[in-house]
Structures are given as C-alpha cells and as structure tokens.
Amino acid sequence: MGLIQDNDYDGFDWDEGNRSKNFRKHGITDAEIEQVLLNDPYFTSEDEKHSSEEPRVRILGKTDAGKLVFAVYTIRGNLVRDIHARAMNREERKQYDEAIKGNS
C-alpha cells in the first residue's frame, strides 16, 4: 500500500445507476467519495482479484468530517469512476493507521 500525493485525474465520472447506491447501502455520499481522493493521507493498492476487465484500485482514506472510508474505483480516460464505497472495517482501519505511522 503506497502513499499517493498527486491526483492523476481530472474529475469524476458518475454512473447514474450507481450514484445513490453507496449512500442507500452504506451511508457514503458522492461528495464523501470525492473527499477521500482529495484528502491526505490516503493509501491505495491494486484490486487484482477484480481487475480482469479493467484495472481497479482500492483506497483507504477519510472525508472532511474524518469518516474513514474504503472505496474501489477505476480510471476511465482521466476521470475517476466509483465502483463501491463503505466505511472501513476493523482490519482496514488498522491498515490505515499503520500506513499513516509508517509514512510519517
């Protein structure tokens, strides 16, 4: 898991059928998903298991309000396409805390 500091995209590509799914199922808004990619620190890793059709990336990060979020996204062109987002589970929070300590 590496610390990413440069955002290599130009915005977000929202799937209308997916827009409210993360909020209905997990209480994560589109704005919060965007914040996770904009707020430092965040940590990413490849989602090799689910990348057969296109590269997917897992991200651990936080919202402006400090909510810890796990998300999966892909880059299409220069736009981020959200696949899934939810609150971090216990193991992900531990990984996030350890990554912060290791990069400070």
Side-chain angles (χ1 to χ4, degrees), residues 28-68:
I28 306 294
T29 67
D30 295 345
E32 288 174 319
I33 295 168
E34 291 182 14
Q35 292 166 14
V36 167
L37 276 91
L38 297 172
N39 291 341
D40 287 329
Y42 62 85
F43 302 90
T44 62
S45 61
E46 291 182 45
D47 185 357
E48 295 173 8
K49 181 178 178 182
H50 299 103
S51 293
S52 60
E53 294 181 27
E54 64 185 349
R56 291 186 178 188
V57 179
R58 294 180 299 229
I59 184 168
L60 300 176
K62 64 182 177 178
T63 66
D64 291 349
K67 185 186 294 187
L68 298 176

Side-chain angles (χ1 to χ4, degrees), residues 1-103:
M1 205 175 276
L3 175 63
I4 304 297
Q5 294 183 353
D6 296 320
N7 297 325
D8 194 22
Y9 59 88
D10 294 328
F12 293 83
D13 176 23
W14 294 104
D15 175 353
E16 288 305 317
N18 207 22
R19 280 195 84 129
S20 61
K21 180 180 78 173
N22 290 310
F23 183 73
R24 280 193 325 271
K25 290 186 173 187
H26 306 291
I28 306 294
T29 67
D30 295 345
E32 288 174 319
I33 295 168
E34 291 182 14
Q35 292 166 14
V36 167
L37 276 91
L38 297 172
N39 291 341
D40 287 329
Y42 62 85
F43 302 90
T44 62
S45 61
E46 291 182 45
D47 185 357
E48 295 173 8
K49 181 178 178 182
H50 299 103
S51 293
S52 60
E53 294 181 27
E54 64 185 349
R56 291 186 178 188
V57 179
R58 294 180 299 229
I59 184 168
L60 300 176
K62 64 182 177 178
T63 66
D64 291 349
K67 185 186 294 187
L68 298 176
V69 174
F70 165 87
V72 177
Y73 68 91
T74 190
I75 302 290
R76 293 187 181 163
N78 283 343
L79 299 175
V80 173
R81 178 76 168 234
D82 169 62
I83 309 244
H84 174 77
R86 60 170 170 72
M88 284 185 208
N89 64 32
R90 184 180 319 181
E91 181 61 30
E92 292 157 349
R93 287 191 307 270
K94 181 180 174 185
Q95 291 172 1
Y96 184 75
D97 290 341
E98 289 173 358
I100 290 172
K101 288 176 188 172
N103 283 292

